[in-house]
Each structure stands twice: as structure tokens, then as C-alpha cells.
Amino acid sequence: MSRTTAGSGSVRTAGSPWRNWAGNVTSRPAREVSPASAEELAEAVRRAAEDGLRVKTVGTGHSFTSIAATDGVLIRPGLLTGIRRIDREAMTVTVESGTPLKRLNVALAREGLSLTNMGDIMEQTVAGATSTGTHGTGRESASIAAQIRELELVTASGELLTCSEKENPEVFAAARIGLGALGVITAITFAVEPVFLLTAREEPMTFDRVISEFDALHAENEHFEFYWFPHTDNCNTKRNNRSAGPAAPPGRISGWIEDELLSNGVFQLACSLGRAVPPVIPSIAQVSSRALSARTYTDIPYKVFTSPRRVRFLEMEYALPREAAVAALRELKAMVERSPLKVSFPVEVRTAPADDIALSTASGRETAYIAVHLYKGTPHRAYFTAVERIMTAHGGRPHWGKVHTRDAAYLSEAYPRFAEFTALRDRLDPDRLFANDHLRRVLGD
């Protein structure tokens, strides 16, 4: 059953359960709302409060936690899309909160503009990506949320609040990575710059070489990341640096072979085989880690930073002080080698500079990210528990959108500005309209 609101949005009684992208989280909301404007969204929030229902917003469901799950009102921002305005003098773009990153990237490129840095996929909505701290890798350039210059937020009272360094600065300091706990974002203003070229250099290296040269590789490249293949000594490295050009994208056939056939098609088959017959995983890993060859190409940013990810998985990622990364990786490799675990997915390592966002995983410290994955449907608890034990011993902060078991007691120690965030939450949402079980665990009640 559905009905149209005064605008062009819609409200309907929820039927089938909502599921996230990975399929590990489901919830059954009482109703779903698709507002077509900030005003309609504010009205939906006020009505939910009157009806005694909690409110959560869901984008594309790319979080692996239940951060968006609700038995109340589920807001779908699919009608809140598109660019509101481009300010070429200030070099900013204001975009509706439900806009997928892939649409924003294409639209910006058409205008000769680009974000400075981004994550490795672009399926998420801009609000979902920033609210959970989505990041790429960078020596000086930080997460997507760190590129926000202003945001518009509907609070629990139904008020539309504009936040920036000058207007409601205490809210701006926290709401850029707000976990959906402070309100519902309706629009975001990002800093942009003239579109530029990046040269990507992908090269296999041994684990020992990458580890021994990690600090130098980080220092010498604007964007450095690598993947280690468990059960092997093999890594694949990627160095992205700005280029004067000319553009030299991967060839159509060679690009398809690397990005679709090997990274998605063949990898999907390998993961399926490994899930069915785990003892073959180390042998598959040896073959997989040698399949990707060295290559160099030059293109506009989103075509270099991002890649298609069609193989579904579960992921845990921890942010460590950058100086702890090498020790943690050695411990991780030793743990896998001495355990009976069979791990089919590579381990991803990236970096970020310190930033000033209260609950950013890079808040106040130079950071290295270590992410572990398992193919969808593979038992994950033993592996993730062992990894988490290593990461927390090094002061790790879990990614807000990825699997972890930390609670408010741990996180309040990991984040120096945790109390600042929770105090702001008490002020903006004293009745916990935007709460759910997950937020109770990570933020407290």
C-alpha cells in the first residue's frame, strides 16, 4: 500500500524486508518514505516522531553493519538526487544527499571538475559514503567527508539546519561523519578542483619488499595502496600520481581482461570453488596472485581511483596509527600461516593523513587502513575475530560501515573527541529518534 505526499515523494507500508548489499543484514521497517525534497523529508521526520517510530535512512546498503536497520521509518533518498549548484569562484559543488557517487563523478567530469580523492568503489550515495567515513588512500588528501565544506541536516525536531565552519560549526565538526545519529542529511557541499590526470602504476612485489619499503612508498607517492594475497608471499601494489598527460587509458581489451575477466569473472569462480572446497584456497591464491601483471595507464581521477567490484563479500577494516601498520601486517601474516584458516580474498592496505573530524577513523593521527574480506557465505567469525584481536592491540579504530565487535566503552577510549560527539547527539536527538540497536552498541544510550 502506498500513497503520494503533498509533493512528488511517496509513503508506503513496508512489505518485504530490507537487505544490505552483502546480504548479512536484514530489517523490516514499519513504513518506507521516499521524499522528493528537504521539506518533505523534514515532514516525514516530524510525523515519525508523532507516531513514536524511529527513523533511519538507507542509501545503497553498502555498509556491512546494521547501521541503517530499523523497525520504524526507513527513508529512501532515491528522489533526492542531482547537483543543486556549482560555484566556480568558491570551487564547490552542492549535491542532493541521495546522489550516487558514480553519478556525481560523471557529472563533475562533464563540467571539467573532480573531487580530490575518493574510495575504490562509487556505488554509494554521497550521504551514506560520508556518514560512515568512506575513504581512499592518500599521502595528503583525506576521506570524502574531509572534502565537505557545508551540509544540510534535518534534526529530530524537523528543523532544517545548515552547517559549515562558519554556521553551526560545532555540528559541522561532527556531522560530516555522523553515523546517521545526529539527523538526516539532505544536501552536501564538496570542495572540488579542475579535473586532472592521474598515472596509475600497478606492479607485483613480494610481501617482504612492500613491508620493508612501506614508509618510502607512502612518502614518494600521492596515493599508494597494496593487496597481499594470504597463503602467498605475493602482493600487488598501486601508485597513483598526478600527471601532465596525455591521457592513456587502459586498452579496451586489456582493461576488460584485468578489471572484468580476472578481477571479477575468474575471481568469482575461484571464490565459489574455494567456498565449496576450502583446502584448494592456498593453491588458488598462488595462481591468482600471479595473474595480475604490471601495467601503467593515465586517466581522469574517478577512472583511476575506482574499479568495479561485482564479487560480493564481507569486510572488516581497522584504522591504525600509520607507524603501527608494518608490525600489525607481520602479525596478521604470521597468524594466517599458523592457523587452519583458508582465506580467499586479498588483504587491502591504504593510508590517510590526520583530519579534524570528531569520529573520523583518521581523527588526529596519521593513519594506515588494513582491510580483510571473505567471500559472501563463507564463515567469517574465526578469521575476523583473530584479525580484530591484532588490530585492537595496536589501538585500531574500526571502520564505521564494516564488520566489527567494538562497543562504546572501547570506542570512547579510541576517539579523544568521542564525548564531544555524544554530547552533541544528546542536544540534537535527546529522545533518540535516529537510534537503533547498532548505534546503542557503538555510541551508548
Side-chain angles (χ1 to χ4, degrees):
M1 173 181 167
S2 67
R3 64 180 178 84
T4 301
T5 63
S8 55
S10 65
V11 179
R12 69 181 181 90
T13 302
S16 58
W18 169 80
R19 289 181 174 82
N20 68 340
W21 176 82
N24 66 310
V25 177
T26 62
S27 70
R28 189 181 289 276
R31 66 174 179 251
E32 295 185 4
V33 182
S34 298
S37 67
E39 291 73 24
E40 282 188 15
L41 197 155
E43 175 57 31
V45 168
R46 286 190 290 266
R47 184 172 169 232
E50 291 168 0
D51 294 344
L53 296 173
R54 307 289 186 194
V55 177
K56 298 308 297 178
T57 305
V58 64
T60 55
H62 269 268
S63 288
F64 299 91
T65 70
S66 54
I67 194 167
T70 186
D71 58 1
V73 176
L74 186 69
I75 294 176
R76 292 187 178 271
L79 300 179
L80 294 171
T81 61
I83 291 176
R84 282 192 188 178
R85 63 182 174 272
I86 294 173
D87 186 333
R88 292 186 183 273
E89 184 175 341
M91 289 303 287
T92 60
V93 59
T94 301
V95 61
E96 301 283 351
S97 61
T99 307
L101 283 167
K102 59 185 175 184
R103 284 181 57 185
L104 174 61
N105 286 332
V106 171
L108 286 176
R110 195 181 299 125
E111 295 288 339
L113 301 169
S114 177
L115 296 171
T116 297
N117 199 358
M118 60 195 76
D120 54 13
I121 65 168
M122 52 180 179
E123 303 303 313
Q124 315 99 308
T125 62
V126 294
T130 56
S131 294
T132 54
T134 295
H135 62 89
T137 188
R139 186 183 58 203
E140 285 101 17
S141 53
S143 70
I144 303 176
Q147 298 168 67
I148 295 176
R149 295 297 173 263
E150 184 177 286
L151 58 84
E152 186 180 86
L153 184 77
V154 173
T155 67
S157 65
E159 178 187 4
L160 196 59
L161 205 63
T162 300
C163 312
S164 67
E165 288 183 349
K166 296 180 180 178
E167 191 172 0
N168 297 303
E170 75 288 354
V171 180
F172 181 71
R176 285 172 287 171
I177 299 180
L179 315 185
L182 304 178
V184 181
I185 294 173
T186 53
I188 299 176
T189 299
F190 292 103
V192 293
E193 59 178 299
V195 71
F196 53 93
L197 292 172
L198 285 171
T199 292
R201 179 182 172 193
E202 299 176 5
E203 180 184 5
M205 288 187 188
T206 65
F207 180 87
D208 287 341
R209 181 185 169 191
V210 175
I211 291 299
S212 64
E213 298 179 12
F214 179 71
D215 288 337
L217 288 164
H218 168 78
E220 292 166 4
N221 295 282
E222 293 174 75
H223 309 275
F224 173 69
E225 63 185 305
F226 73 92
Y227 297 84
W228 166 59
F229 294 80
H231 312 295
T232 80
D233 290 317
N234 303 324
C235 297
N236 198 46
T237 65
K238 186 174 182 180
R239 287 168 271 190
N240 299 331
N241 291 285
R242 295 201 183 208
S243 169
R252 182 172 296 179
I253 294 176
S254 62
W256 179 83
I257 290 173
E258 291 277 348
D259 297 326
E260 287 294 345
L261 180 62
L262 295 178
S263 297
N264 285 294
V266 173
F267 189 51
Q268 172 79 58
L269 292 173
C271 287
S272 297
L273 176 60
R275 185 177 63 186
V277 191
V280 306
I281 286 176
S283 297
I284 292 173
Q286 290 288 343
V287 175
S288 298
S289 66
R290 293 186 173 93
L292 298 174
S293 57
R295 62 173 177 165
T296 300
Y297 55 95
T298 301
D299 215 329
I300 60 176
Y302 83 85
K303 294 184 178 181
V304 174
F305 284 133
T306 70
S307 55
R309 299 288 175 88
R310 309 196 200 287
V311 181
R312 302 210 177 200
F313 53 84
L314 285 184
E315 181 176 359
M316 169 183 282
E317 181 179 75
Y318 266 81
L320 306 184
R322 188 163 55 80
E323 63 272 14
V326 168
L329 285 163
R330 289 191 187 281
E331 292 170 34
L332 174 57
K333 187 171 187 287
M335 180 273 292
V336 171
E337 288 174 346
R338 69 173 178 265
S339 78
L341 293 168
K342 299 294 183 285
V343 182
S344 58
F345 257 81
V347 174
E348 182 180 25
V349 181
R350 295 176 286 178
T351 67
D355 65 41
D356 65 348
I357 305 172
L359 290 190
S360 167
T361 46
S363 183
R365 71 187 190 190
E366 295 277 327
T367 295
Y369 294 98
I370 300 176
V372 298
H373 314 68
L374 282 175
Y375 183 51
K376 178 184 175 182
T378 304
H380 68 276
R381 186 162 298 174
Y383 180 40
F384 282 10
T385 298
V387 171
E388 195 167 39
R389 190 174 296 121
I390 294 169
M391 300 304 156
T392 54
H394 288 280
R397 299 168 177 169
H399 188 297
W400 294 109
K402 298 178 184 179
V403 176
H404 68 91
T405 66
R406 301 300 88 190
D407 60 15
Y410 177 92
L411 296 165
S412 64
E413 296 293 326
Y415 287 90
R417 297 171 65 185
F418 189 85
E420 173 188 330
F421 185 95
T422 54
L424 180 65
R425 183 190 186 207
D426 289 341
R427 175 161 72 84
L428 292 179
D429 187 16
D431 297 325
R432 301 296 188 257
L433 181 68
F434 302 116
N436 62 6
D437 290 342
H438 179 78
L439 290 184
R440 288 187 195 96
R441 174 165 68 85
V442 300
L443 295 178
D445 226 355

